[in-house]
Amino acid sequence: MATAESSAFFQWRPGMLTRSTRSMVTFSNDFMIGDSQRELAAGTYEIVVEEELMQGLSFEAYRRIATYLMVQGRGSKAGQTTMQVITQEDLEHAIACDQALPETTNDSEAALSPQEDKT
């Protein structure tokens, strides 16, 4: 089942205030997200949401300008991180699909342990 946690930080850019919210989401199953045909392994991924301050309002409001899934390289690409552009809807769909599936135990110790004899 997918789980999430988040934090926020602000950064100044010339002429505008933007903020980035970083959160972590854990997928229990392999998944695909958005239009990508690439299957991603179960695990914990960082989500970065960038928003900009909407100017000229009498109250503080932000508009989302980008959402990224941070993907760590594996195998020959270990040590590389790519930022995959996604939509909030794609993320919510991937989380819902993960929660609808039973958890897999990709090479976990529990999967390799012999079954208990209940006779």
Side-chain angles (χ1 to χ4, degrees), residues 5-107:
E5 60 183 64
S6 65
S7 64
F9 67 91
F10 298 89
Q11 64 188 52
W12 288 96
R13 290 192 183 164
M16 75 173 75
L17 177 67
T18 63
R19 70 179 180 187
S20 295
T21 304
R22 296 179 180 274
S23 58
M24 304 299 284
V25 62
T26 302
F27 290 94
S28 299
N29 303 284
D30 293 350
F31 67 101
M32 292 185 359
I33 191 165
D35 294 334
S36 174
Q37 298 300 313
R38 179 178 168 197
E39 185 171 74
L40 300 172
T44 300
Y45 291 83
E46 181 178 16
I47 306 296
V48 177
V49 176
E50 291 188 355
E51 300 171 299
E52 68 181 356
L53 181 64
M54 297 176 68
Q55 307 256 336
L57 300 175
S58 60
F59 55 92
E60 190 174 289
Y62 287 84
R63 176 176 62 101
R64 181 185 309 255
I65 54 176
T67 303
Y68 302 100
L69 175 71
M70 307 301 284
V71 180
Q72 301 292 324
R74 298 185 194 275
S76 65
K77 296 186 180 198
Q80 296 179 2
T81 301
T82 58
M83 294 177 71
Q84 182 175 335
V85 178
I86 59 171
T87 66
Q88 185 65 29
E89 293 79 17
D90 289 341
L91 178 59
E92 290 170 1
H93 177 73
I95 291 171
C97 289
D98 188 66
Q99 291 175 341
L101 294 172
E103 288 188 30
T104 59
T105 53
N106 298 328
D107 298 325

